[in-house]
Structure formats: C-alpha cells, structure tokens
C-alpha cells in the first residue's frame, strides 16, 4: 500500500490567551478588580500648574494682541468715514463760498448800486453848490518855514460844563 503525505493544519492559537515559555504553554488569566478611589484627594502637580500658567499667559497675551489689532482696525475705518464726511462737507462749503463771492461781486457792482440809488431811492448826483469842503482854505499855515501840524484854539475848547463855545 502506498501512502501519500498529507499536511495536517495546526490548530489556531490565540496569542493573547497563551504564551510560550520554554516548552510549555501557560494561559494568561485576567481578573476584574473594582478599585474605590473616592477617598483619595487629587494633589495639584506643581509642574503642571506652571505649564498651565504659561499657557494661560500666552492665551491672554494673544487675546490682548488680537483685541488691540481689531480696535486699531476699527478706528482706522471710523477715521476713514470721518475723513470722507469732512471732505464732502468741505466741498459743500467751498461751493457755498463761491456762490457768496459771486453774489458779493454782483451786489457790489458800482453800476448796479447807481441804478438802485436812482430808481428805488430817487437819489440824484449832488450839485456843486451842495458840496462843502472843510479845511480847504488854500496853502497850509507855516510858522518860520515849518508847517504847523495842530494849533490850540481856546474858542473851540469845551468849558467846565462840557459845552463848547461858539465864536
């Protein structure tokens, strides 16, 4: 009789349940044990406290930095709007000033003033006999070749009552 070789598969082993130690196999057995830590008080770790403080400081500095950048940005936007408003107000004022200058030039025109005086107020040019010139008696008086700038006239000085004397 002839025999044929046949491979027999090995049984599958669970690696977590068995461990090979030398020649024999010992199973690993795990038991559940309830541990009560309710009476324990957690102690703060000084190294972790320092790390937490540094992280909080960095976060606070980043917040202050971002907040100040945001405030600067909003101020720039607000000033931009204010500048635009002031420019438009300035242009309106310039236009109004130009209109007022034109009105002033129109109203101060001598021909227009003469026309209004003649038509509305019934004024006429003055006649030569209506004009009285004061202090135009000829050449100015001189004393010893030096012109007299002012003279004291007691007849024109006020009396004690504040009334001037007529000559």
């Amino acid at each position: 009789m002839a025999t044929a070789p046949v491979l027999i598969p090995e049984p599958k082993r669970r690696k977590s349940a068995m461990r090979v130690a030398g020649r024999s196999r010992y199973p690993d057995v795990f038991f559940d044990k309830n541990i009560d830590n309710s009476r324990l008080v957690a102690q703060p770790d000084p190294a972790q406290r320092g790390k937490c403080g540094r992280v909080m400081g960095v976060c606070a500095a980043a917040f202050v930095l971002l907040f100040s950048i945001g405030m600067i940005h909003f101020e720039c936007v607000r000033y931009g709007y204010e500048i635009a408003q002031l420019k438009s107000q300035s242009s309106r004022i310039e236009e109004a000033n130009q209109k007022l200058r034109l009105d002033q030039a129109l109203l101060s025109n001598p021909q227009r003033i003469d026309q209004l005086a003649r038509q509305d107020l019934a004024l006429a040019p003055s006649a030569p006999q209506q004009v009285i010139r004061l202090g135009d008696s000829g050449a100015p008086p001189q004393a010893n070749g030096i012109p007299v700038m002012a003279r004291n006239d007691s007849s024109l000085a006020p009396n004690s009552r504040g009334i001037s004397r007529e000559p």
Side-chain angles (χ1 to χ4, degrees):
M1 211 167 127
T3 61
V6 175
L7 290 175
I8 300 173
E10 286 188 33
K12 292 184 181 178
R13 297 183 205 150
R14 291 189 334 197
K15 293 183 179 180
S16 63
M18 299 280 194
R19 184 174 13 169
V20 176
R23 293 187 201 172
S24 62
R25 298 177 189 175
Y26 296 102
D28 289 335
V29 179
F30 298 106
F31 296 102
D32 289 334
K33 181 177 180 184
N34 292 331
I35 299 174
D36 183 23
N37 288 333
S38 63
R39 292 183 304 271
L40 296 177
V41 178
Q43 296 294 325
D45 186 11
Q48 291 296 325
R49 180 179 281 172
K51 286 180 185 177
C52 183
R54 284 191 294 272
V55 168
M56 294 282 284
V58 167
C59 288
F63 175 76
V64 168
L65 179 68
L66 292 175
F67 184 75
S68 62
I69 289 172
M71 290 301 295
I72 290 170
H73 173 71
F74 291 134
E75 287 294 317
C76 287
V77 169
R78 187 175 65 87
Y79 285 141
Y81 283 127
E82 190 172 337
I83 287 170
Q85 180 185 10
L86 290 174
K87 282 183 180 179
S88 67
Q89 182 181 3
S90 175
S91 66
R92 285 193 314 264
I93 289 173
E94 286 293 326
E95 289 175 10
N97 190 13
Q98 185 65 25
K99 286 181 181 179
L100 289 174
R101 286 179 191 225
L102 289 174
D103 289 344
Q104 180 188 12
L106 177 68
L107 293 175
S108 64
N109 186 1
Q111 293 173 350
R112 182 184 168 280
I113 293 173
D114 185 49
Q115 181 183 7
L116 287 176
R118 289 178 194 263
Q119 291 177 357
D120 295 343
L121 301 175
L123 295 178
S126 60
Q129 62 269 19
Q130 292 176 327
V131 177
I132 301 172
R133 297 180 190 233
L134 299 176
D136 193 20
S137 62
Q142 295 182 359
N144 299 330
I146 302 172
V148 177
M149 298 296 175
R151 71 180 174 180
N152 187 3
D153 191 1
S154 61
S155 66
L156 298 176
N159 61 9
S160 61
R161 293 183 191 161
I163 302 171
S164 64
R165 291 182 220 154
E166 298 282 329

